[in-house]
Amino acid sequence: MIKIAPSILSADFARLGEQVAEAESAGADYIHVDVMDGHFVPNLTIGPVVVQALRRVTRLPLDVHLMVEKPESMLESFVSAGADMLTVHVETCPHLHRTLQQIRGLGVRAGVSLNPSTPLVALEEILADVDLVLVMSVNPGFGGQSFIERSVGRIRRLRQMMIEQRVRAELSVDGGIHPETAEQVVRAGANVLVAGSFIFHDPEGIAAAIRRLRASAERALIARSV
Ligand code: DX5
Ligand code: ZN
């Protein structure tokens, strides 16, 4: 089954609780929380207090994407706030293995993400130690950007690496996801779709957008398995 992770970056922050509740009742699987520090990426967003507030309004796992320098200094505060998964960027972690161990040691799932320009080989030695790989299909920092087509081949190659290493981690894709790109990335081997603007800016509403995204992803999954 394909998992849908709405990214609240594109939600209406004045009505965040309501919108998250709507996503949950429409069958979202995770709530994706984009944490940006204004250094690693040129934007500033959410800290642990917002995660704490989200924890009170949803039972869905909180998938926290740390686009920050020195993420190791804030792992504990995000876990105490209620995060269920913490994803760090390979570009920010000189001691990636240690950081991932730290995350698991805090009792949550550990994810690793890479920017579009980072070679996949950066993951080769670490794949066995992660619960989730998050492939960026835009340059991180903002919602609403266009999907970078090269990502499809990267996802395909990454899925192959995971099969070869017998890794059962989730393969998530983040950036520019809508029904057409969802179809391409699922065919290439993704099983989690992060989507912000497509879900929260749909004139027909959050539930309709999630339904359309899921329908397209499930069709692609059937095509992948035949
Ligand atoms: C980008 C973030 C994404 C973003 C995706 O840096 O990591 O999660 O919200 O937004 P869309 O789906 O609008 O590309
Ligand atoms: Zn993200």
Side-chain angles (χ1 to χ4, degrees):
M1 201 189 97
I2 300 298
K3 292 180 179 160
I4 309 274
S7 159
I8 59 162
L9 188 61
S10 295
D12 175 354
F13 279 78
R15 298 170 47 232
L16 188 55
E18 257 170 70
Q19 298 215 321
V20 166
E22 203 174 325
E24 181 167 359
S25 41
D29 298 280
Y30 299 146
I31 296 297
H32 184 85
V33 182
D34 287 305
V35 177
M36 305 184 185
D37 67 349
H39 294 282
F40 176 57
V41 291
N43 197 1
L44 194 58
T45 57
I46 288 164
V49 288
V50 175
V51 171
Q52 208 172 13
L54 286 168
R55 187 66 297 160
R56 290 197 299 269
V57 298
T58 182
R59 277 199 294 262
L60 292 180
L62 299 174
D63 164 26
V64 176
H65 178 190
L66 296 172
M67 286 160 277
V68 302
E69 286 178 2
K70 300 197 187 338
E72 57 283 353
S73 65
M74 36 185 108
L75 302 174
E76 213 172 321
S77 25
F78 278 103
V79 171
S80 312
D84 298 279
M85 301 143 84
L86 290 180
T87 296
V88 294
H89 269 257
V90 294
E91 300 84 4
T92 63
C93 295
H95 305 290
L96 184 57
H97 183 268
R98 179 188 291 155
T99 308
L100 294 167
Q101 299 286 96
Q102 254 177 287
I103 297 175
R104 282 184 166 173
L106 290 165
V108 299
R109 298 170 71 201
V112 69
S113 181
L114 24 65
N115 285 340
S117 63
T118 302
L120 293 180
V121 70
L123 293 179
E124 207 170 282
E125 307 299 329
I126 206 74
L127 268 185
D129 300 298
V130 300
D131 301 299
L132 172 129
V133 181
L134 180 67
V135 174
M136 289 308 302
S137 41
V138 297
N139 287 295
F142 303 95
Q145 304 180 79
S146 308
F147 181 82
I148 298 172
E149 290 293 334
R150 266 189 92 85
S151 313
V152 177
R154 281 163 65 76
I155 293 159
R156 194 173 296 119
R157 282 183 288 131
L158 177 59
R159 176 54 81 188
Q160 196 52 43
M161 265 167 77
M162 290 169 72
I163 292 170
E164 280 160 17
Q165 291 197 30
R166 295 192 167 80
V167 165
R168 300 172 65 89
E170 301 205 276
L171 201 173
S172 182
V173 185
D174 188 2
I177 295 296
H178 51 69
E180 290 74 41
T181 51
E183 185 171 341
Q184 297 179 55
V185 302
V186 168
R187 274 175 180 261
N191 78 299
V192 182
L193 302 173
V194 177
S197 48
F198 178 75
I199 290 178
F200 290 101
H201 296 171
D202 189 317
E204 286 174 32
I206 295 169
I210 291 179
R211 262 199 310 276
R212 290 222 305 282
L213 197 56
R214 191 181 291 289
S216 154
E218 295 293 345
R219 264 198 311 275
L221 188 63
I222 293 168
R224 180 167 104 187
S225 54
V226 290

